[in-house]
Amino acid sequence: MPELPEVETVRRGLEHHVTGRAIDTVRVLHPRAVRRHLAGGPDFEAALAGGTFGTVRRRGKYLWLSVGEDALLAHLGMSGQLLVGAPERPLDSHVRVWFTFKDAGPDLRFTDQRTFGHMCYVPDGAELPAPIAHIAPDPLEPAFDPAVLTRRLRQRRTGIKRALLDQSLISGVGNIYADEALWRAGLHWARPTETLNGTEVSRLLAAVTEVLTEALTAGGTSFDSLYVNVNGESGYFDRSLAVYGREGLPCPRCGTPVRRDPFMNRSAYTCPHCQPRPRRARW
Ligand SMILES: [Zn+2]
């Protein structure tokens, strides 16, 4: 599944390839791809045809492209890809939405094998589309304010990992990045948020930003100049993980075997030495 760093790579690719280009035709090839656009596929096509793509922004795993005052909002879901390429290449069966441009240059195809991804057209959404206004900024966004997050974390009274995964507090931090950031910050996932002091919160936020930035750099290397592509895999996953998915293997810092705990139907990985379990745990 594409995580924030992969989505940011796609955002940069789109900015490079489609910003400033006038849309010629829009074809919805599978209605499920525009299921959140309640007025339906033909309305979606008509709203976008003739418009010009402006800025490309991202919040968490959502992307939006401004079209005048409005926006094209997209989520890649589990397997979505946005591909830019020669318009004459064959149309494969997983293409869900197809955009061509008036300059007859490279086209844009939303391809999605599992169809969990979606697109919709949001009137007046250029600044911030209403359907995602409830999602908190992510740490790589200019709108992110560490002071606001620190205050809200302390008020939350929950476990720190649960808080990191809560999109209304901070977006874009998936299970993997949460575990890696907590390990770097030396914090156990079940630490009650109200017991974190200012230094610990700053250390954690620095670790989250660092992990996301490193993953972005790694993910960015697979980016080709012609294709805007995301497969949900990035080189980061193989190379740099300290604890995630490494049960029983030595902690890179102290050599203690990594521990796995069940957490929200998934797992939480920690080093029992670097991330001592709190006396009062919350999850
Ligand atoms: Zn350790």
Side-chain angles (χ1 to χ4, degrees):
M1 179 177 336
E3 293 286 341
L4 182 149
E6 291 79 31
V7 179
E8 174 60 17
T9 302
V10 174
R11 190 198 69 74
R12 293 177 183 183
L14 287 173
E15 194 167 55
H16 186 256
H17 290 285
V18 307
T19 293
R21 297 179 66 201
I23 304 160
D24 186 15
T25 61
V26 182
R27 281 181 60 195
V28 174
L29 302 168
H30 195 301
R32 203 170 136 73
V34 295
R35 64 190 179 279
R36 305 265 175 103
H37 186 84
L38 301 178
D43 182 81
F44 176 90
E45 295 171 343
L48 282 158
T52 297
F53 284 131
T55 55
V56 188
R57 294 199 240 174
R58 181 188 52 72
R59 172 152 294 183
K61 296 201 273 184
Y62 279 92
L63 289 165
W64 74 98
L65 297 93
S66 71
V67 182
E69 297 298 306
D70 308 329
L72 168 64
L73 179 65
H75 193 287
L76 299 172
M78 305 283 284
S79 59
Q81 297 177 298
L82 284 162
L83 303 169
V84 175
E88 59 275 10
R89 73 194 191 283
L91 206 59
D92 84 63
S93 62
H94 298 308
V95 177
R96 308 303 180 199
V97 186
W98 181 23
F99 301 84
T100 65
F101 295 90
K102 289 190 171 156
D103 58 19
D107 65 3
L108 176 65
R109 299 179 185 189
F110 176 49
T111 300
D112 191 6
Q113 199 166 346
R114 300 182 61 186
T115 64
F116 286 112
H118 59 90
M119 286 185 154
C120 61
Y121 184 78
V122 185
D124 297 317
E127 276 307 306
L128 179 62
I132 60 165
H134 64 286
I135 300 176
D138 66 64
L140 303 183
E141 254 186 280
F144 182 76
D145 183 346
V148 170
L149 177 64
T150 304
R151 199 177 59 237
R152 297 188 61 205
L153 267 183
R154 297 238 198 103
Q155 290 165 350
R156 191 51 72 103
R157 307 186 89 76
T158 182
I160 184 60
K161 181 169 175 179
R162 187 178 280 271
L164 284 179
L165 298 178
D166 181 343
Q167 305 287 300
S168 69
L169 280 175
I170 179 172
S171 65
V173 185
N175 203 33
I176 298 171
Y177 299 114
D179 279 2
E180 292 297 307
L182 287 164
W183 176 80
R184 287 191 192 203
L187 295 169
H188 190 275
W189 56 269
R191 263 293 288 279
T193 48
E194 71 273 20
T195 68
L196 294 169
N197 64 37
T199 314
E200 287 171 323
V201 174
S202 311
R203 206 163 73 214
L204 178 61
L205 288 183
V208 168
T209 309
E210 206 177 271
V211 164
L212 292 175
T213 308
E214 281 173 25
L216 180 57
T217 310
T221 56
S222 60
F223 175 66
D224 178 285
S225 65
L226 185 59
Y227 292 95
V228 180
N229 198 348
V230 59
N231 283 319
E233 293 292 334
S234 91
Y236 179 80
F237 288 4
D238 309 325
R239 287 199 296 270
S240 317
L241 296 178
V243 286
Y244 184 84
R246 292 175 45 87
E247 183 179 13
L249 293 170
C251 161
R253 198 157 41 208
C254 72
T256 307
V258 168
R259 176 189 162 93
R260 186 185 72 82
D261 293 307
F263 173 80
M264 291 172 75
N265 296 321
R266 289 185 287 181
S267 299
Y269 295 91
T270 48
C271 166
H273 176 74
C274 299
Q275 299 163 269
R277 191 185 182 85
R279 212 169 302 147
R280 232 168 12 92
R282 243 190 230 279
W283 61 87

